[in-house]
Short mmCIF file of all heavy atoms in Angstrom, two decimals:
data_model
loop_
_atom_site.label_atom_id
_atom_site.label_comp_id
_atom_site.label_asym_id
_atom_site.label_seq_id
_atom_site.Cartn_x
_atom_site.Cartn_y
_atom_site.Cartn_z
N ILE A 1 0.82 -1.19 -0.11
CA ILE A 1 -0.06 -0.05 0.08
C ILE A 1 0.86 1.24 0.07
O ILE A 1 1.64 1.54 0.92
CB ILE A 1 -0.89 0.12 1.23
CG1 ILE A 1 -1.68 -1.19 1.30
CG2 ILE A 1 -1.74 1.37 1.22
CD1 ILE A 1 -2.56 -1.39 2.56
N PRO A 2 0.96 1.98 -1.11
CA PRO A 2 1.86 3.19 -1.01
C PRO A 2 1.29 4.13 -0.08
O PRO A 2 0.08 4.41 0.15
CB PRO A 2 1.57 3.78 -2.51
CG PRO A 2 1.07 2.64 -3.34
CD PRO A 2 0.24 1.77 -2.30
N PHE A 3 2.28 4.80 0.55
CA PHE A 3 2.08 5.79 1.55
C PHE A 3 3.01 6.88 1.43
O PHE A 3 4.24 6.73 1.55
CB PHE A 3 2.22 5.15 3.03
CG PHE A 3 1.85 6.09 4.09
CD1 PHE A 3 0.51 6.40 4.58
CD2 PHE A 3 2.99 6.66 4.80
CE1 PHE A 3 0.29 7.35 5.55
CE2 PHE A 3 2.66 7.51 5.85
CZ PHE A 3 1.41 7.85 6.25
N ASN A 4 2.59 8.17 1.32
CA ASN A 4 3.46 9.33 1.27
C ASN A 4 3.72 9.90 2.60
O ASN A 4 2.87 9.97 3.44
CB ASN A 4 2.90 10.40 0.33
CG ASN A 4 2.76 9.94 -1.05
OD1 ASN A 4 3.58 9.22 -1.55
ND2 ASN A 4 1.65 10.26 -1.72
N PHE A 5 5.02 10.27 2.86
CA PHE A 5 5.33 10.73 4.18
C PHE A 5 6.47 11.74 3.95
O PHE A 5 7.13 11.86 2.83
CB PHE A 5 5.79 9.69 5.21
CG PHE A 5 7.10 9.01 4.66
CD1 PHE A 5 8.36 9.48 5.14
CD2 PHE A 5 6.97 7.98 3.87
CE1 PHE A 5 9.49 8.69 4.65
CE2 PHE A 5 8.15 7.23 3.31
CZ PHE A 5 9.35 7.80 3.85
N GLN A 6 6.63 12.66 4.95
CA GLN A 6 7.69 13.61 4.85
C GLN A 6 8.31 13.72 6.29
O GLN A 6 7.71 13.68 7.28
CB GLN A 6 7.13 14.96 4.55
CG GLN A 6 8.16 16.02 4.39
CD GLN A 6 7.56 17.42 4.12
OE1 GLN A 6 6.41 17.54 3.62
NE2 GLN A 6 8.36 18.51 4.06
N VAL A 7 9.68 13.64 6.26
CA VAL A 7 10.37 13.79 7.57
C VAL A 7 11.00 15.19 7.57
O VAL A 7 11.64 15.65 6.53
CB VAL A 7 11.54 12.67 7.57
CG1 VAL A 7 12.30 12.73 8.90
CG2 VAL A 7 10.93 11.38 7.38
N SER A 8 10.87 15.86 8.62
CA SER A 8 11.35 17.15 8.70
C SER A 8 12.21 17.35 10.06
O SER A 8 12.18 16.57 10.89
CB SER A 8 10.23 18.11 8.75
OG SER A 8 9.55 18.17 9.96
N GLU A 9 12.74 18.59 10.10
CA GLU A 9 13.61 18.94 11.24
C GLU A 9 12.80 19.09 12.62
O GLU A 9 13.39 19.05 13.68
CB GLU A 9 14.39 20.21 11.01
CG GLU A 9 15.44 20.67 11.86
CD GLU A 9 16.60 19.59 12.03
OE1 GLU A 9 16.96 19.04 10.84
OE2 GLU A 9 17.08 19.43 13.07
N ALA A 10 11.56 19.10 12.44
CA ALA A 10 10.58 19.12 13.56
C ALA A 10 10.65 17.82 14.34
O ALA A 10 10.38 17.85 15.61
CB ALA A 10 9.17 19.28 13.17
N ILE A 11 11.25 16.73 13.86
CA ILE A 11 11.46 15.53 14.62
C ILE A 11 12.84 15.75 15.43
O ILE A 11 13.86 15.87 14.84
CB ILE A 11 11.61 14.25 13.65
CG1 ILE A 11 10.27 14.15 12.94
CG2 ILE A 11 12.02 13.07 14.45
CD1 ILE A 11 10.42 13.02 11.75
N VAL A 12 12.68 15.59 16.74
CA VAL A 12 13.88 15.92 17.55
C VAL A 12 14.06 14.46 18.28
O VAL A 12 13.25 13.98 18.99
CB VAL A 12 13.58 16.96 18.64
CG1 VAL A 12 14.75 17.05 19.63
CG2 VAL A 12 13.34 18.26 17.90
N LEU A 13 15.33 13.95 18.07
CA LEU A 13 15.62 12.71 18.57
C LEU A 13 15.96 12.85 20.02
O LEU A 13 15.71 11.93 20.81
CB LEU A 13 16.91 12.14 17.73
CG LEU A 13 16.61 12.03 16.26
CD1 LEU A 13 17.76 11.52 15.69
CD2 LEU A 13 15.45 11.10 15.99
N ALA A 14 16.72 13.81 20.33
CA ALA A 14 17.06 14.12 21.81
C ALA A 14 17.36 15.67 21.95
O ALA A 14 17.46 16.23 20.84
CB ALA A 14 18.33 13.37 22.22
N PRO A 15 17.25 16.18 23.05
CA PRO A 15 17.51 17.75 23.11
C PRO A 15 18.83 18.08 22.37
O PRO A 15 19.84 17.44 22.66
CB PRO A 15 17.51 17.95 24.63
CG PRO A 15 16.71 16.96 25.11
CD PRO A 15 17.02 15.65 24.28
N GLY A 16 18.78 19.03 21.45
CA GLY A 16 19.96 19.39 20.71
C GLY A 16 20.37 18.57 19.53
O GLY A 16 21.33 18.83 18.93
N ILE A 17 19.66 17.44 19.34
CA ILE A 17 20.02 16.61 18.19
C ILE A 17 18.80 16.39 17.32
O ILE A 17 17.81 15.73 17.67
CB ILE A 17 20.33 15.16 18.75
CG1 ILE A 17 21.59 15.25 19.73
CG2 ILE A 17 20.76 14.17 17.59
CD1 ILE A 17 21.97 13.89 20.39
N GLY A 18 18.82 17.12 16.19
CA GLY A 18 17.79 16.92 15.24
C GLY A 18 18.36 16.27 13.94
O GLY A 18 19.43 15.75 13.92
N LEU A 19 17.51 16.16 12.86
CA LEU A 19 17.85 15.49 11.66
C LEU A 19 19.13 16.13 10.99
O LEU A 19 19.93 15.36 10.41
CB LEU A 19 16.74 15.39 10.74
CG LEU A 19 15.56 14.61 11.10
CD1 LEU A 19 14.44 14.75 10.19
CD2 LEU A 19 15.89 13.09 11.33
N SER A 20 19.20 17.36 11.15
CA SER A 20 20.31 18.04 10.43
C SER A 20 21.83 17.71 11.16
O SER A 20 22.82 17.95 10.53
CB SER A 20 20.22 19.64 10.59
OG SER A 20 20.29 20.03 11.93
N SER A 21 21.75 16.99 12.19
CA SER A 21 22.93 16.44 12.82
C SER A 21 23.48 15.24 12.15
O SER A 21 24.71 14.78 12.35
CB SER A 21 22.64 16.02 14.28
OG SER A 21 22.12 17.04 15.03
N PHE A 22 22.77 14.77 11.11
CA PHE A 22 23.25 13.53 10.35
C PHE A 22 23.33 13.77 8.86
O PHE A 22 22.69 14.57 8.34
CB PHE A 22 22.18 12.32 10.67
CG PHE A 22 21.97 12.20 12.06
CD1 PHE A 22 20.98 12.73 12.88
CD2 PHE A 22 22.86 11.24 12.81
CE1 PHE A 22 20.78 12.45 14.22
CE2 PHE A 22 22.64 10.85 14.05
CZ PHE A 22 21.66 11.64 14.82
N THR A 23 24.26 13.04 8.21
CA THR A 23 24.44 13.09 6.81
C THR A 23 23.67 11.98 6.12
O THR A 23 23.38 12.17 4.89
CB THR A 23 25.86 12.96 6.55
OG1 THR A 23 26.36 11.70 6.88
CG2 THR A 23 26.73 14.15 7.02
N GLU A 24 23.27 11.02 6.79
CA GLU A 24 22.41 9.95 6.11
C GLU A 24 21.73 9.14 7.22
O GLU A 24 22.11 9.28 8.47
CB GLU A 24 23.25 9.02 5.28
CG GLU A 24 24.30 8.40 5.93
CD GLU A 24 25.33 7.58 5.04
OE1 GLU A 24 25.13 7.64 3.84
OE2 GLU A 24 26.10 6.79 5.61
N GLY A 25 20.73 8.46 6.86
CA GLY A 25 19.94 7.68 7.80
C GLY A 25 19.17 6.52 7.09
O GLY A 25 19.18 6.38 5.99
N VAL A 26 18.49 5.80 7.86
CA VAL A 26 17.55 4.76 7.57
C VAL A 26 16.14 4.99 7.89
O VAL A 26 15.96 5.44 9.07
CB VAL A 26 18.07 3.38 8.08
CG1 VAL A 26 17.09 2.31 7.78
CG2 VAL A 26 19.29 3.09 7.74
N ILE A 27 15.19 4.77 7.01
CA ILE A 27 13.76 4.90 7.49
C ILE A 27 13.24 3.51 7.79
O ILE A 27 13.46 2.48 7.13
CB ILE A 27 13.04 5.42 6.03
CG1 ILE A 27 13.43 6.74 5.62
CG2 ILE A 27 11.40 5.40 6.52
CD1 ILE A 27 13.28 7.88 6.64
N LEU A 28 12.66 3.43 8.87
CA LEU A 28 12.06 2.17 9.42
C LEU A 28 10.51 2.41 9.50
O LEU A 28 10.04 3.39 10.04
CB LEU A 28 12.61 1.86 10.82
CG LEU A 28 11.95 0.63 11.36
CD1 LEU A 28 13.03 -0.43 11.86
CD2 LEU A 28 11.08 0.93 12.56
N ALA A 29 9.80 1.55 9.00
CA ALA A 29 8.34 1.47 9.11
C ALA A 29 7.79 0.28 9.86
O ALA A 29 8.42 -0.78 9.62
CB ALA A 29 7.68 1.66 7.62
N ARG A 30 6.83 0.51 10.62
CA ARG A 30 6.33 -0.74 11.32
C ARG A 30 4.85 -0.62 11.46
O ARG A 30 4.27 0.34 11.58
CB ARG A 30 6.85 -0.83 12.78
CG ARG A 30 6.53 -2.07 13.45
CD ARG A 30 7.41 -2.23 14.71
NE ARG A 30 7.58 -1.07 15.57
CZ ARG A 30 6.63 -0.70 16.56
NH1 ARG A 30 5.64 -1.49 16.68
NH2 ARG A 30 6.96 0.38 17.18
N ILE A 31 4.13 -1.82 11.15
CA ILE A 31 2.66 -1.89 11.38
C ILE A 31 2.43 -2.71 12.69
O ILE A 31 2.97 -3.82 12.75
CB ILE A 31 2.04 -2.48 10.21
CG1 ILE A 31 2.28 -1.72 8.93
CG2 ILE A 31 0.47 -2.66 10.56
CD1 ILE A 31 1.76 -2.38 7.68
N SER A 32 1.85 -2.11 13.69
CA SER A 32 1.67 -2.75 14.96
C SER A 32 0.45 -3.59 15.04
O SER A 32 -0.65 -3.05 14.89
CB SER A 32 1.73 -1.55 16.11
OG SER A 32 1.38 -2.29 17.37
N LYS A 33 0.51 -4.87 15.17
CA LYS A 33 -0.68 -5.78 15.37
C LYS A 33 -1.39 -5.32 16.67
O LYS A 33 -2.56 -5.45 16.66
CB LYS A 33 -0.25 -7.13 15.32
CG LYS A 33 -1.25 -8.14 15.25
CD LYS A 33 -0.63 -9.53 15.14
CE LYS A 33 -1.79 -10.56 15.09
NZ LYS A 33 -1.16 -11.92 14.92
N SER A 34 -0.61 -5.03 17.70
CA SER A 34 -1.16 -4.65 18.99
C SER A 34 -1.72 -3.28 19.22
O SER A 34 -2.33 -2.85 20.01
CB SER A 34 -0.12 -5.05 19.96
OG SER A 34 0.88 -4.11 20.04
N GLY A 35 -1.19 -2.38 18.36
CA GLY A 35 -1.45 -0.97 18.42
C GLY A 35 -0.54 -0.20 19.40
O GLY A 35 -0.68 1.00 19.64
N LYS A 36 0.42 -1.02 20.05
CA LYS A 36 1.33 -0.36 21.02
C LYS A 36 2.63 0.16 20.23
O LYS A 36 2.94 -0.36 19.17
CB LYS A 36 1.76 -1.33 22.05
CG LYS A 36 0.67 -1.79 22.89
CD LYS A 36 1.07 -2.77 23.90
CE LYS A 36 -0.19 -3.16 24.80
NZ LYS A 36 0.12 -3.94 25.93
N SER A 37 3.36 1.20 20.84
CA SER A 37 4.44 1.76 20.10
C SER A 37 5.66 0.88 20.24
O SER A 37 6.49 0.92 19.39
CB SER A 37 4.67 3.22 20.69
OG SER A 37 4.95 2.99 22.10
N GLN A 38 5.74 0.02 21.14
CA GLN A 38 6.92 -0.78 21.41
C GLN A 38 6.76 -2.00 20.52
O GLN A 38 5.63 -2.48 20.36
CB GLN A 38 7.11 -1.20 22.77
CG GLN A 38 7.39 -0.10 23.83
CD GLN A 38 8.74 0.56 23.52
OE1 GLN A 38 9.62 -0.15 23.24
NE2 GLN A 38 8.72 1.82 23.58
N LEU A 39 7.77 -2.53 19.91
CA LEU A 39 7.75 -3.77 19.09
C LEU A 39 7.22 -4.94 19.96
O LEU A 39 7.65 -5.18 21.06
CB LEU A 39 9.16 -4.05 18.60
CG LEU A 39 9.28 -5.28 17.61
CD1 LEU A 39 8.61 -5.08 16.40
CD2 LEU A 39 10.70 -5.55 17.52
N GLN A 40 6.18 -5.52 19.31
CA GLN A 40 5.46 -6.73 19.88
C GLN A 40 5.68 -7.85 18.93
O GLN A 40 5.72 -7.72 17.66
CB GLN A 40 4.13 -6.46 20.15
CG GLN A 40 3.83 -5.18 21.06
CD GLN A 40 4.07 -5.51 22.45
OE1 GLN A 40 3.71 -6.56 22.99
NE2 GLN A 40 4.78 -4.58 23.09
N SER A 41 5.47 -9.09 19.38
CA SER A 41 5.47 -10.30 18.53
C SER A 41 4.29 -10.15 17.56
O SER A 41 3.19 -9.69 17.93
CB SER A 41 5.21 -11.44 19.37
OG SER A 41 5.06 -12.57 18.56
N GLY A 42 4.61 -10.45 16.31
CA GLY A 42 3.52 -10.32 15.22
C GLY A 42 3.49 -8.98 14.51
O GLY A 42 2.86 -8.90 13.50
N ASP A 43 4.25 -8.05 14.99
CA ASP A 43 4.26 -6.85 14.29
C ASP A 43 5.08 -7.00 12.99
O ASP A 43 6.06 -7.66 12.72
CB ASP A 43 5.03 -5.70 15.10
CG ASP A 43 4.22 -5.12 16.23
OD1 ASP A 43 3.05 -5.57 16.35
OD2 ASP A 43 4.77 -4.33 17.03
N PHE A 44 4.74 -6.22 11.90
CA PHE A 44 5.41 -6.20 10.65
C PHE A 44 6.25 -5.08 10.43
O PHE A 44 5.89 -3.87 11.02
CB PHE A 44 4.22 -6.07 9.51
CG PHE A 44 3.25 -7.17 9.42
CD1 PHE A 44 2.04 -7.08 10.27
CD2 PHE A 44 3.63 -8.42 8.88
CE1 PHE A 44 1.21 -8.22 10.21
CE2 PHE A 44 2.78 -9.59 8.84
CZ PHE A 44 1.50 -9.36 9.61
N SER A 45 7.56 -5.09 9.79
CA SER A 45 8.27 -4.05 9.66
C SER A 45 9.22 -4.12 8.40
O SER A 45 9.22 -5.19 7.75
CB SER A 45 9.19 -3.95 10.92
OG SER A 45 10.15 -5.05 10.94
N GLY A 46 9.84 -3.03 8.12
CA GLY A 46 10.71 -2.97 7.04
C GLY A 46 11.64 -1.80 7.04
O GLY A 46 11.32 -0.74 7.81
N THR A 47 12.69 -1.66 6.33
CA THR A 47 13.65 -0.53 6.33
C THR A 47 14.13 -0.31 4.95
O THR A 47 14.00 -1.08 4.05
CB THR A 47 14.88 -0.82 7.19
OG1 THR A 47 15.54 -2.01 6.66
CG2 THR A 47 14.68 -1.10 8.68
N SER A 48 14.51 1.05 4.87
CA SER A 48 15.01 1.43 3.54
C SER A 48 16.55 1.22 3.67
O SER A 48 17.04 0.76 4.77
CB SER A 48 14.83 2.96 3.45
OG SER A 48 15.71 3.65 4.37
N GLY A 49 17.27 1.40 2.55
CA GLY A 49 18.76 1.45 2.52
C GLY A 49 19.11 2.77 3.19
O GLY A 49 18.26 3.52 3.61
N LEU A 50 20.44 3.13 3.20
CA LEU A 50 20.82 4.45 3.67
C LEU A 50 20.29 5.46 2.73
O LEU A 50 20.40 5.41 1.53
CB LEU A 50 22.41 4.47 3.74
CG LEU A 50 23.00 3.72 4.89
CD1 LEU A 50 24.59 3.71 4.68
CD2 LEU A 50 22.66 4.34 6.16
N VAL A 51 19.93 6.65 3.25
CA VAL A 51 19.32 7.72 2.48
C VAL A 51 19.83 9.02 3.02
O VAL A 51 20.27 9.18 4.17
CB VAL A 51 17.76 7.67 2.49
CG1 VAL A 51 17.22 6.56 1.81
CG2 VAL A 51 17.28 7.85 3.90
N LYS A 52 20.04 9.95 2.11
CA LYS A 52 20.57 11.35 2.41
C LYS A 52 19.25 12.11 2.77
O LYS A 52 18.13 11.82 2.49
CB LYS A 52 21.17 11.96 1.22
CG LYS A 52 22.27 11.17 0.66
CD LYS A 52 23.60 11.51 1.46
CE LYS A 52 24.77 10.87 0.74
NZ LYS A 52 25.91 10.61 1.59
N PRO A 53 19.36 13.21 3.62
CA PRO A 53 18.35 14.03 4.07
C PRO A 53 17.48 14.62 2.96
O PRO A 53 16.27 14.91 3.18
CB PRO A 53 19.01 15.28 4.87
CG PRO A 53 20.28 14.52 5.26
CD PRO A 53 20.79 13.69 4.21
N VAL A 54 18.02 14.82 1.86
CA VAL A 54 17.30 15.43 0.68
C VAL A 54 16.62 14.38 -0.26
O VAL A 54 16.04 14.67 -1.33
CB VAL A 54 18.06 16.38 -0.14
CG1 VAL A 54 18.38 17.59 0.62
CG2 VAL A 54 19.24 15.76 -0.71
N ALA A 55 16.78 13.10 0.24
CA ALA A 55 16.24 12.07 -0.75
C ALA A 55 14.64 12.07 -0.89
O ALA A 55 13.94 12.48 -0.11
CB ALA A 55 16.59 10.58 -0.08
N THR A 56 14.33 11.64 -2.03
CA THR A 56 12.87 11.50 -2.42
C THR A 56 12.69 10.21 -3.07
O THR A 56 13.64 9.60 -3.42
CB THR A 56 12.50 12.58 -3.42
OG1 THR A 56 13.24 12.46 -4.63
CG2 THR A 56 12.67 14.07 -2.90
N GLY A 57 11.40 9.74 -3.11
CA GLY A 57 11.13 8.42 -3.70
C GLY A 57 11.67 7.33 -3.05
O GLY A 57 12.04 6.22 -3.58
N ILE A 58 11.80 7.29 -1.70
CA ILE A 58 12.28 6.24 -0.89
C ILE A 58 11.27 5.09 -0.85
O ILE A 58 10.07 5.44 -0.60
CB ILE A 58 12.58 6.73 0.50
CG1 ILE A 58 13.66 7.77 0.44
CG2 ILE A 58 13.10 5.49 1.43
CD1 ILE A 58 13.78 8.51 1.74
N THR A 59 11.76 3.80 -0.96
CA THR A 59 10.83 2.70 -0.88
C THR A 59 11.27 1.93 0.43
O THR A 59 12.45 1.54 0.64
CB THR A 59 11.02 1.81 -2.17
OG1 THR A 59 10.72 2.60 -3.29
CG2 THR A 59 10.22 0.53 -1.98
N VAL A 60 10.18 1.53 1.15
CA VAL A 60 10.43 0.72 2.30
C VAL A 60 9.45 -0.47 2.19
O VAL A 60 8.24 -0.27 1.93
CB VAL A 60 10.09 1.44 3.57
CG1 VAL A 60 10.14 0.45 4.84
CG2 VAL A 60 11.00 2.60 3.83
N THR A 61 9.93 -1.65 1.96
CA THR A 61 9.14 -2.90 1.76
C THR A 61 8.88 -3.50 3.18
O THR A 61 9.87 -3.91 3.83
CB THR A 61 9.82 -3.84 0.84
OG1 THR A 61 9.96 -3.14 -0.47
CG2 THR A 61 8.99 -5.03 0.65
N ILE A 62 7.70 -3.54 3.63
CA ILE A 62 7.41 -4.17 4.95
C ILE A 62 7.29 -5.70 4.66
O ILE A 62 6.26 -6.14 4.17
CB ILE A 62 6.16 -3.53 5.50
CG1 ILE A 62 6.39 -2.13 5.75
CG2 ILE A 62 5.74 -4.31 6.76
CD1 ILE A 62 5.26 -1.33 6.25
N GLY A 63 8.27 -6.45 5.04
CA GLY A 63 8.27 -7.90 4.70
C GLY A 63 8.87 -8.71 5.89
O GLY A 63 9.02 -9.91 5.77
N LYS A 64 9.00 -8.20 7.19
CA LYS A 64 9.47 -8.88 8.22
C LYS A 64 8.41 -8.88 9.31
O LYS A 64 7.68 -8.05 9.46
CB LYS A 64 10.70 -8.24 8.80
CG LYS A 64 11.97 -8.32 7.97
CD LYS A 64 13.12 -7.79 8.71
CE LYS A 64 14.27 -7.70 7.75
NZ LYS A 64 15.46 -6.94 8.41
N VAL A 65 8.20 -10.10 9.94
CA VAL A 65 7.39 -10.23 11.09
C VAL A 65 8.08 -10.44 12.36
O VAL A 65 8.97 -11.42 12.36
CB VAL A 65 6.34 -11.38 10.89
CG1 VAL A 65 5.37 -11.54 12.08
CG2 VAL A 65 5.62 -11.26 9.60
N ALA A 66 7.88 -9.78 13.45
CA ALA A 66 8.63 -9.93 14.70
C ALA A 66 8.23 -11.20 15.26
O ALA A 66 7.01 -11.52 15.37
CB ALA A 66 8.29 -8.77 15.68
N PRO A 67 9.20 -12.05 15.84
CA PRO A 67 8.85 -13.29 16.36
C PRO A 67 8.12 -13.16 17.72
O PRO A 67 8.22 -12.17 18.37
CB PRO A 67 10.30 -13.91 16.61
CG PRO A 67 11.30 -12.76 16.56
CD PRO A 67 10.56 -11.77 15.75
#
């Protein structure tokens, strides 16, 4: 299911550490079977390869199931 998203500097990882602190990163997507934010057994997930902050058209294939 295609899903459009945008990641911005508004995401703060820790006080004083924003996205501009990094030159590349990985996008992780998860579909929670339980509805909880912490990884649970049965959750589906996938990751992108390394991407630059200005990257567009990133594909994340959700193909893993948490044991």
Side-chain angles (χ1 to χ4, degrees):
I1 301 171
F3 181 78
N4 293 321
F5 63 93
Q6 182 175 352
V7 179
S8 73
E9 193 61 33
I11 296 173
V12 178
L13 304 174
I17 302 176
L19 292 176
S20 62
S21 301
F22 302 92
T23 58
E24 58 188 9
V26 174
I27 303 295
L28 177 127
R30 185 166 48 85
I31 299 172
S32 173
K33 188 175 178 180
S34 67
K36 297 183 179 186
S37 60
Q38 296 295 320
L39 181 66
Q40 303 286 315
S41 178
D43 288 355
F44 299 93
S45 67
T47 58
S48 69
L50 285 174
V51 295
K52 303 274 185 203
V54 295
T56 60
I58 299 164
T59 298
V60 177
T61 301
I62 297 176
K64 294 181 182 178
V65 180

